[in-house]
């Protein structure tokens, strides 16, 4: 059974999660240095998350968006990113197992980008369980 009952629940958690993370300047520096726009398209339930490293300061855009044009588009089931952020799964292993699809951007560049953003996603992982609890979702 999926962690999130619907897209609305995904957006509620992600808005709060990235709202907190985006207020931490040192965590945002690697995203800003990339000067890339990363769009994460989640499935089951569907949601679109965009991280804009071109903006100063970087910003989070929830929901489908064509602007700014993404440099990378990554598609994965919502439960995959959930497990990665809980530390129950590895992003690299999920990619090589075919659970994560890179729809735009080179594979090596994409993996390098994820490695560069490990601090940002580490910060997400620290606060994600607390926010799940606040929304009455299982960690």
């Amino acid at each position: 059974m999926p962690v999130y009952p619907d897209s609305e629940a995904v957006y509620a958690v992600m808005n709060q999660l990235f709202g907190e993370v985006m207020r931490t300047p040192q965590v945002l520096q690697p995203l800003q240095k990339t000067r890339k726009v990363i769009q994460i398209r989640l499935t089951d339930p569907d949601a679109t998350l965009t991280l804009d490293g071109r903006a100063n300061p970087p910003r989070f855009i929830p929901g489908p968006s064509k602007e700014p044009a993404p440099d990378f588009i990554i598609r994965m089931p919502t439960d995959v990113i959930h497990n990665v952020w809980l530390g129950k799964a590895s992003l690299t292993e999920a990619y090589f197992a075919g659970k994560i699809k890179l729809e735009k951007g080179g594979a090596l560049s994409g993996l390098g980008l994820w490695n560069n953003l490990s601090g940002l996603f580490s910060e997400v992982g620290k606060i994600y369980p607390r926010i799940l609890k606040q929304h009455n979702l299982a960690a």
Side-chain angles (χ1 to χ4, degrees):
M1 181 163 161
V3 173
Y4 292 94
D6 53 35
S7 297
E8 187 176 296
V10 175
Y11 285 121
V13 169
M14 297 304 159
N15 280 325
Q16 183 178 348
L17 179 68
F18 282 100
E20 288 186 29
V21 169
M22 297 306 231
R23 289 191 299 262
T24 312
Q26 69 270 21
V27 172
L28 297 178
Q29 285 177 337
L31 176 61
Q32 193 164 15
K33 284 181 183 178
T34 68
R35 305 285 303 146
K36 302 290 183 195
V37 175
I38 306 146
Q39 192 168 83
I40 303 168
R41 295 181 181 170
L42 301 173
T43 60
D44 304 317
D46 294 349
T48 302
L49 315 173
T50 302
L51 299 172
D52 181 0
R54 290 186 211 138
N56 187 11
R59 61 191 178 130
F60 167 69
I61 305 162
S65 175
K66 292 184 185 203
E67 293 297 325
D71 298 294
F72 291 92
I73 298 174
I74 302 158
R75 181 177 302 276
M76 71 182 89
T78 303
D79 283 354
V80 169
I81 203 163
H82 167 79
N83 286 322
V84 167
W85 285 340
L86 288 177
K88 295 179 180 179
S90 156
L91 195 60
T92 305
E93 288 173 13
Y95 175 78
F96 285 113
K99 295 177 183 176
I100 297 173
K101 306 283 185 217
L102 187 60
E103 295 182 349
K104 182 177 182 183
L108 290 177
S109 298
L111 287 173
L113 180 69
W114 281 112
N115 287 334
N116 289 339
L117 298 177
S118 62
L120 172 68
F121 292 116
S122 175
E123 190 66 25
V124 166
K126 289 177 189 174
I127 62 176
Y128 184 64
R130 173 179 52 81
I131 292 172
L132 283 175
K133 238 182 221 182
Q134 290 173 356
H135 289 267
N136 297 316
L137 296 169

